[in-house]
Amino acid sequence: HVQLVESGGGSVQAGGSLRLSCAGSGFSTTSGCMGWFRQAPGLDHEEVAVTDSAFLDILYGDSVKGRFTVSRDIAKNTVYLQMNSLKSEDTALYYCATVEPPRWIGYSFGGYEYNYWGQGTQVTVS
């Protein structure tokens, strides 16, 4: 069955960096789109990045453009979110998500198109 497991969250000072990982099983990260979302308390899911299966089409949310970068390791079936120049407003629970059957979603408002989510990893910037 499809499973996503995030890791790499933690506490960091403003201006610092973190790299989140999303390890997939039961599906291939090369066959559909992968989304990175975050959710702060009381707010809806905000998509920070989405990639297509070929990593040719990568969209970033306006609030993270130029600071966050998505990459992947195909052999490990893992997608990464490199987060640099972190700000206090980046504090949130971060999730990765995918959709099966695979299809291109594009930028999502709220993530309602996705049907598989990881458990999330907390990022706190102070």
Side-chain angles (χ1 to χ4, degrees):
H1 66 286
V2 175
Q3 191 172 13
L4 301 105
V5 179
E6 302 97 337
S7 61
S11 296
V12 64
Q13 290 188 338
S17 298
L18 283 173
R19 189 180 78 158
L20 306 183
S21 300
C22 172
S25 60
F27 76 105
S28 173
T29 59
T30 63
S31 65
C33 72
M34 296 291 298
W36 280 100
F37 291 82
R38 65 188 182 187
Q39 188 175 30
L43 300 178
D44 205 350
H45 286 95
E46 175 193 8
E47 186 160 42
V48 297
V50 57
T51 72
D52 71 345
S53 59
F55 258 60
L56 295 177
D57 205 351
I58 304 176
L59 305 177
Y60 293 96
D62 288 342
S63 61
V64 306
K65 280 180 182 176
R67 300 188 297 123
F68 290 13
T69 304
V70 181
S71 63
R72 70 178 172 186
D73 185 326
I74 295 175
K76 295 181 178 179
N77 206 37
T78 297
V79 179
Y80 303 97
L81 181 68
Q82 178 67 43
M83 307 185 296
N84 298 328
S85 302
L86 283 162
K87 306 174 182 180
S88 58
E89 51 262 46
D90 295 318
T91 295
L93 191 59
Y94 283 71
Y95 300 88
C96 59
T98 193
V99 59
E100 289 286 327
R103 61 184 177 94
W104 173 240
I105 293 175
Y107 190 81
S108 170
F109 294 92
Y112 302 107
E113 303 90 338
Y114 289 83
N115 52 0
Y116 290 98
W117 295 77
Q119 82 288 350
T121 185
Q122 178 68 38
V123 172
T124 302
V125 185
S126 59

